[in-house]
Amino acid sequence: MLERIGEGSDGLATVFPAMLNCLIALRALGYSKKNPVYVKAEKDFAGLFVDDSEDFRIQPCFSPVWDTAINIIALAESGASPEHPALQKAAEWLVKKEVRMRGDWTVNNPHPEASGWAFEYDNVYYPDTDDTAMVLMALRLVRPQDRHSLDELFRRAIGWQLSFQCKDGGWAAFDKNVTTQWLEDVPFADHNAILDPTCSDLTARTLELFGYIDFDPNHPSVRHALKYLIETQEDDGSWYGRWGVNYTYGTWQVLRGLRAIGQDMTQDWILRGRDWLESCQNDDGGWGETCATYENPATKGIGESTASQTAWALMGICACGDLDRPSIQRGLRYLLSSQQSDGSWEEPQTTGTGFPGVFYLKYDMYRQNFPLLALATYVNYRRGLGHQPSFYRSNS
């Protein structure tokens, strides 16, 4: 615990529960409040506090790597130049955040070369596959200053990402094959989130990345992942979203990933996902879904329309082709009519997931970057572009 509070970390696991509990543990063990370890842990924890004119609140964690990657993708896909100074600066920052230390993931994954990205500013012990895939999708869109260095970075990171594919063909976030469910019954299991299960959204995001860099679609890992997605599809055609609320998120990401990896999007099982999304469209043309779906799947696809979830649904349906479908046109009108005069969207709802049934995350950028990406996706498909060209190509 002391090691993981120290250098290279903005607190134990850089997330509220662990950071709070380590303060309690240190005091229980007799550490004084003046002890340097306790001082650092307390300072890191206080960094989560927000005390402004609205109220006092504590953030669960920070998401700068995740937000930066999505913003790069949204800007690049909507026409920002790959040489734009803002994109260059953001990409340079992301490159510096690559984690080169072999952290706790090595217990279950013997992969020898460390790479990957964490969610937060500094969290060297716990990079994750979700951020890694999103970062690589972003970096591929920015013209590199040093092409050789970019190629080496991708080689390392793709190898690291591949090494996390689990026995069932899917990807989890932080670990590999940690699926023994009886662990949830251990009394000290932190809010029953001691497992790191594979999930459709991370698996499909990895396939999306692979598709953009021309990774071999016949590679065994791709075939295994496709089998996993087929097996995890719900009876109604949707997919569960582990890291975003919820079936709208999962279904969008699967459809987008399948298109990117070159699947025939007219297959019946794929169109069932599209049809499910269309069945959930609200009368105002948007889509919405609440966190209640994690406790009661009967509420899936039901909720007040939000900008982020409308964007996800639109991108999922667009991935299947036929851009003139009424659902797409109505969804576009919803986004355009709900946009504020300054170009932003309002979204008081929570559409991000931390631990299902325990706590959820409100990403303040989601209401901006995902609508922008959805509009750009539609325009690019109209122009006959699947996505913006990549500055990296796999030799898989």
Side-chain angles (χ1 to χ4, degrees), residues 217-286:
N218 295 311
H219 192 282
S221 73
V222 173
R223 296 201 305 269
H224 203 190
L226 290 171
K227 183 174 182 290
Y228 171 86
L229 292 178
I230 292 172
E231 292 175 347
T232 54
Q233 187 176 26
E234 303 277 326
D235 291 340
D236 59 9
S238 65
W239 279 271
Y240 177 88
R242 166 62 181 84
W243 294 98
V245 181
N246 172 350
Y247 295 90
T248 306
Y249 184 86
T251 305
W252 151 65
Q253 184 56 70
V254 169
L255 295 177
R256 190 170 174 90
L258 292 174
R259 178 185 174 115
I261 201 63
Q263 281 290 296
D264 176 1
M265 299 303 288
T266 65
Q267 296 177 76
D268 287 344
W269 68 281
I270 294 176
L271 293 181
R272 287 176 56 234
R274 179 202 67 186
D275 293 346
W276 179 81
L277 284 174
E278 290 188 328
S279 74
C280 301
Q281 190 170 25
N282 289 330
D283 291 341
D284 61 8

Side-chain angles (χ1 to χ4, degrees), residues 58-224:
I58 304 178
Q59 302 169 93
C61 54
F62 295 122
S63 56
V65 170
W66 180 248
D67 294 334
T68 300
I70 299 173
N71 288 345
I72 289 176
I73 294 168
L75 289 168
E77 291 287 349
S78 56
S81 167
E83 293 91 3
H84 193 289
L87 297 192
Q88 290 284 328
K89 189 175 181 180
E92 181 182 353
W93 184 81
L94 285 177
V95 167
K96 292 177 180 178
K97 288 299 177 183
E98 183 189 9
V99 176
R100 299 302 310 280
M101 191 190 85
R102 300 181 80 240
D104 287 355
W105 53 270
T106 58
V107 173
N108 290 318
N109 182 355
H111 187 69
E113 189 170 24
S115 185
W117 281 261
F119 191 61
E120 305 84 359
Y121 288 103
D122 292 296
N123 188 10
V124 295
Y125 291 97
Y126 306 107
D128 67 90
T129 65
D130 202 8
D131 279 277
T132 298
M134 195 67 86
V135 166
L136 293 177
M137 284 195 285
L139 292 179
R140 86 182 205 280
L141 294 171
V142 182
R143 188 180 299 279
Q145 301 293 329
D146 182 347
R147 180 60 183 266
H148 176 73
S149 294
L150 179 76
D151 289 348
E152 280 298 299
L153 178 147
F154 266 83
R155 180 196 61 77
R156 285 193 304 270
I158 293 295
W160 187 84
Q161 187 84 0
L162 279 169
S163 76
F164 275 86
Q165 188 170 26
C166 297
K167 295 175 182 177
D168 61 8
W171 271 264
F174 299 93
D175 222 320
K176 183 175 182 177
N177 297 322
V178 181
T179 58
T180 309
Q181 291 192 348
W182 66 262
L183 289 170
E184 292 185 336
D185 297 323
V186 175
F188 59 77
D190 189 10
H191 46 65
N192 291 331
I194 201 168
L195 303 183
D196 188 16
T198 56
C199 50
S200 300
D201 42 314
L202 299 195
T203 303
R205 181 162 293 123
T206 300
L207 290 182
E208 182 185 0
L209 164 66
F210 287 172
Y212 293 159
I213 62 173
D214 292 341
F215 191 87
D216 181 5
N218 295 311
H219 192 282
S221 73
V222 173
R223 296 201 305 269
H224 203 190

